[in-house]
Amino acid sequence: MVSYKLLLLGLVFAGAVLQSINGKLSPTSYLPRCPNALSIVQDEVIAAIKNERRIGASLLRLHFHDCFVNGCDASVLLDDTPGFIGEKTAVPNNNSLGGFEVVDRIKAKVEKACPGVVSCADILALAARDSLGGPSWQVYLGRRDSTSASRSAASTSIPPPASNISSLLSSFAAQGLSLRDLVALSGSHTIGLARCTSFRARIYKDTTTDAVFAKSLQSNCPVTGNDNNLASLDLQTPTYFDNLYYKNLLKEKGLLHSDQELFNGTPADAMVKLYASNTFAFFYDFANSMVKMGNIKPLTGSQGEIRINCRKVN
C-alpha cells in the first residue's frame, strides 16, 4: 500500500517536474499581488458544492475540456457572439459542460480583491483541485487567458465516450500524456453524470457490459428518446471521489464504452486492478497526472491576456 508519506512525496515530485519544464509557472505567482486569491477560489468552490454536490464534477470537467483544446487557456469559457464562435457548442461540450456560473462568481470576487491579476485559466486549475474532496496537489500558477477559441479543435481533440483504447491513447499522447495518465485521469469518472446519448449503445449493444447492470439503466435510457436523461458515472458513490470507478470496471460496469475499454485485455488492465485495490496509488497518480495536464501549453508572459470577464475577450 502507498503510504501517506509516499503520497506527499509524489505531490512534491509532481511540482518539481512542472517547475523544471515550465519555469514561468509558480505556486506563489499571486502572493505579492493577490495574496487571498487561492482562498477566494476555495471558499467559492466549497459554497457551490454545498449548494449542489455534483458541481464538483462539472468544475473538474471544465479544466479537462479546456486543457485538451490548444492548452490550458480558458478558451472553453468564451461565449459565442455575432462575430465570434467559441467552444461551448462543440459536440463534446454542447449540453454537457456546466459550472460556468461558479467560475463567474469566483472571477467577480477576485476582480474585486485584485483587479486584472488572476486569470480565468488559473481559476479553472484551482477550482478543479478544490472541487474533489479527495486527492490534492500543488497548483502552479501564472497562466494567461486566450483571446481566441476553436470549436473545430474542441470537436476533435476531446475523446468521445465511444472511443476505443487506441483512440484514447492517441488523444492523450497528442497532449503529451501517457497510458498511466489516461487510466489515472479517467478515474475522475468516479463522480459526475452522463447523458443517455453517451451510453445508449453501451447498454444495448456492447458485449462487455454486465447484463444486470445494462438492464438497470434501460428504463431511464430507452432505445430511442430521452436523450438528455442522466445516469451517474459511478452508481454507488456518485458524489464522492474514491476508487469505486475502477472496481466497477472489474465487473464490466463502466457506464461509458471508453471507460470499459480501460479493462478489456490491454496493458491498462494492470493499472485498473492496482487502483481498484489501492486508493492511495490512485490518488498519487491522479495528482501527478493533473499537474501534467495543467501544464499543457499554457500562455505565459505577454501571451494572451488576463480577462476581466471570463466569458469574453477584453
Side-chain angles (χ1 to χ4, degrees), residues 58-69 71-72 124 128 157-159 172 177 185-186 188-189 290 293 296:
S58 298
L59 294 171
L60 180 61
R61 198 155 180 256
L62 271 180
H63 186 43
F64 175 82
H65 280 230
D66 181 43
C67 291
F68 262 60
V69 182
C72 308
L124 288 180
S157 299
I158 300 167
F172 275 67
L177 300 173
L185 291 173
S186 295
S188 63
H189 285 181
M290 284 297 294
M293 187 185 77
I296 297 174

Side-chain angles (χ1 to χ4, degrees), residues 45-163:
V45 169
I46 291 172
I49 292 173
K50 284 181 178 178
N51 183 58
E52 183 183 355
R53 183 75 188 182
R54 67 185 186 182
I55 202 68
S58 298
L59 294 171
L60 180 61
R61 198 155 180 256
L62 271 180
H63 186 43
F64 175 82
H65 280 230
D66 181 43
C67 291
F68 262 60
V69 182
N70 298 324
C72 308
D73 60 4
S75 58
V76 72
L77 300 177
L78 291 170
D79 285 340
D80 287 1
T81 69
F84 178 87
I85 298 176
E87 298 166 11
K88 291 182 177 179
T89 55
V91 173
N93 298 339
N94 196 30
N95 296 319
S96 177
L97 292 182
F100 297 108
E101 293 79 9
V102 178
V103 175
D104 291 340
R105 290 197 294 271
I106 294 171
K107 183 60 173 174
K109 287 283 183 71
V110 295
E111 281 298 310
K112 184 176 181 180
C114 33
V117 174
V118 180
S119 71
C120 302
D122 278 346
I123 287 173
L124 288 180
L126 288 166
R129 191 267 312 273
D130 295 339
S131 69
L132 297 186
S136 189
W137 57 93
Q138 192 171 55
V139 178
Y140 276 61
L141 304 164
R143 300 168 190 81
R144 289 171 63 84
D145 301 322
S146 69
T147 56
S148 62
S150 175
R151 185 167 62 178
S152 61
S155 296
T156 57
S157 299
I158 300 167
S163 298

Side-chain angles (χ1 to χ4, degrees), residues 282-295:
F282 165 42
F283 282 13
Y284 171 92
D285 284 347
F286 183 85
N288 278 282
S289 295
M290 284 297 294
V291 172
K292 286 179 66 177
M293 187 185 77
N295 191 56

